[in-house]
Amino acid sequence: MGGRREQMDGKRQFAHERFRETEREWEDALHNPFTQVVLPGDRVPTNFLRLHEAAYAPGRNLDEWAKARGQGEHAVTGGLPTRSDLALHLRLTERKAALLDRIAIKKGRPEAAVQAEEARALASQLRAEIDGAA
């Protein structure tokens, strides 16, 4: 019996070593979800999620799927909030928009005004997610 347990522990350790870098990338992407990309023809970068949106609210799509099949309102998540730091992300994004507005006005930088508008759009999405999770 001890040999089988040691074999399983060895496989677990191998898996941790093999996927360590991928795990770090995911962890980083969960804490810093956006990457900025300047699209062809644009002068201002656009924010894109680094992972699929389901990674940031893991049970939402599954809850919807289960509900559509008669399994109940929160069959997967049990009604848990999607992410505890969503409200913090919202506050920081709103602050970012305000600061970018100040830069646009005081420094005369129109690209900051565009970035502020993008931040407000993101804040609106975050607000809708928070309202949807409540």
Side-chain angles (χ1 to χ4, degrees), residues 11 28 54 62 75 82 89 97 118 125:
K11 288 181 180 181
D28 182 56
L62 292 173
T82 57
H89 191 187
E118 290 174 352
Q125 290 174 349

Side-chain angles (χ1 to χ4, degrees), residues 80-98:
L80 294 172
T82 57
R83 290 193 45 86
S84 62
D85 59 350
L86 202 55
L88 174 61
H89 191 187
L90 172 61
R91 286 194 309 271
L92 292 173
T93 303
E94 289 172 334
R95 181 72 179 134
K96 177 182 177 180

Side-chain angles (χ1 to χ4, degrees), residues 117-132:
E117 189 58 39
E118 290 174 352
R120 279 191 288 280
L122 173 60
S124 178
Q125 290 174 349
L126 291 169
R127 203 172 295 103
E129 284 187 40
I130 290 169
D131 291 343

Side-chain angles (χ1 to χ4, degrees), residues 40-59:
D42 288 352
R43 293 186 311 178
V44 179
T46 302
N47 287 328
F48 288 98
L49 286 174
R50 293 172 61 189
L51 301 173
H52 188 278
E53 63 184 27
Y56 302 101

Side-chain angles (χ1 to χ4, degrees), residues 35 39 54 58 60 65 95 108 111 115 118 131 133:
T35 185
L39 298 173
R60 183 177 306 136
W65 181 86
R95 181 72 179 134
E111 70 274 12
Q115 291 173 337
E118 290 174 352
D131 291 343

